[in-house]
Amino acid sequence: MIAPRRGEALYVAGGVAVLGLGLWMWALGRGPAASDAGARPRLRVTGAYAVRVSASTEVSAYLTARNTGGGADRLIAVRTDLSPIVMMHRGLENAMVAVDSVPLPARRTVSLTPSGLHVMIMQPRRAVRVGERVRLTLLFSRSDPISVGAPVLAPGDRPPDG
Ligand SMILES: [Cu+2]
């Protein structure tokens, strides 16, 4: 049997030490110090409503998202049974541009309104009626999904308080 040379043994020991340090840092990262409860987002969604956009079949939706937590989050997608295609738009003058996500900073309230950010349900499977409720499931990058019922209003109706 050939004994390992001194250099190789040191090399192996060094590797074990690095692995140990990595495991220790990984454990630290999962510990209470890193998952500081104050840095978590805490979301509440209120005042959701939907409007059938006149002269088209699309349905837009609006809501208010309040983040009372100490950590930021992002709205990354919206799902509904009405359509597989739900977009998030930002209104600019008379145009709209798609956005990938909506930032929800810590301790801030973000409102999706007809004059700004909004949700757009493209090519709904059926026409929606004023008075019915559309169920929206909001997906976030950090928080659990939130489902809300959005009453369908006629264009120009006063939105619900939220
Ligand atoms: Cu839009």
Side-chain angles (χ1 to χ4, degrees), residues 20 23 25 45 55 71 75 79 104 115-116 123 128 135 148 153 155:
L23 281 170
M25 289 174 72
V45 175
L75 173 63
R79 302 264 188 267
L104 302 171
S115 58
Q123 301 158 38
V128 296
R135 184 135 293 269
V148 292
L153 308 185

Side-chain angles (χ1 to χ4, degrees), residues 40-86:
R40 300 287 309 166
R42 251 177 92 100
L43 303 181
R44 220 163 76 83
V45 175
T46 57
Y49 68 100
V51 175
R52 185 173 161 189
V53 182
S54 54
S56 82
T57 55
E58 273 120 42
V59 176
S60 52
Y62 312 100
L63 53 90
T64 297
R66 186 162 291 137
N67 183 359
T68 57
D73 208 338
R74 300 179 86 82
L75 173 63
I76 54 170
V78 180
R79 302 264 188 267
T80 165
D81 287 348
L82 275 181
S83 172
I85 313 161
V86 184

